[in-house]
Amino acid sequence: MSTSLRRIVKERSGQDVSRCQACLDCDVAVPDGEQDIPLGSLVQMVLYNDEEVLTCRTLWSDEVLRQARYACQRGLNIQAIMLALREEACKRGVMELQDERKR
Ligand code: SF4
């Protein structure tokens, strides 16, 4: 069985997504088209090991990434979570899927 995204994120970023309360207070103000899901949903997808998170537009938006560091009201570093997920996506070779989406 492959390692869960939750565990991978914990090991790489030190962030425990089980602390997420799904309050969705981590909404960031970014231009249209930068996000397909809210940041809180991204964190929840990690919690439930939903691998679709690796190809969502929100994960690959540099503008979202820039704002994500202090977006969580409960102290999670979502920027670090996103970087760990990007790294995992590259490892799994899902970057090509992402490129196709941009076309
Ligand atoms: S603000 Fe923090 S705790 Fe609330 S949904 Fe966003 S990541 Fe989860």
Side-chain angles (χ1 to χ4, degrees):
M1 208 170 85
S2 62
T3 310
S4 72
L5 288 173
R6 175 180 165 181
R7 188 161 164 192
I8 288 165
V9 163
K10 179 86 191 296
E11 285 173 2
R12 290 209 190 123
S13 71
Q15 302 302 301
D16 184 357
V17 295
S18 66
R19 286 172 50 212
C20 175
Q21 304 292 306
C23 60
L24 298 186
D25 285 343
C26 47
D27 211 11
V28 290
V30 293
D32 284 349
E34 291 287 317
Q35 287 191 105
D36 50 358
I37 56 168
L39 268 184
S41 299
L42 179 144
V43 175
Q44 287 287 305
M45 285 171 84
V46 176
L47 186 55
Y48 293 106
N49 198 35
D50 184 342
E51 296 182 355
E52 295 227 347
V53 72
L54 298 176
T55 54
C56 74
R57 198 178 309 144
T58 302
L59 178 63
W60 296 96
S61 165
D62 290 335
E63 185 56 33
V64 174
L65 182 71
R66 195 177 62 76
Q67 295 187 39
R69 174 64 183 89
Y70 300 105
C72 175
Q73 308 303 308
R74 287 171 171 75
L76 277 172
N77 180 347
I78 306 178
Q79 188 179 69
I81 292 169
M82 289 175 70
L83 289 172
L85 290 172
R86 284 186 179 193
E87 188 182 332
E88 183 60 17
C90 293
K91 254 180 96 175
R92 295 187 187 187
V94 297
M95 282 298 287
E96 286 159 26
L97 281 173
Q98 168 62 18
D99 289 343
E100 277 170 27
R101 280 189 174 199
K102 278 186 176 166
R103 277 181 215 140

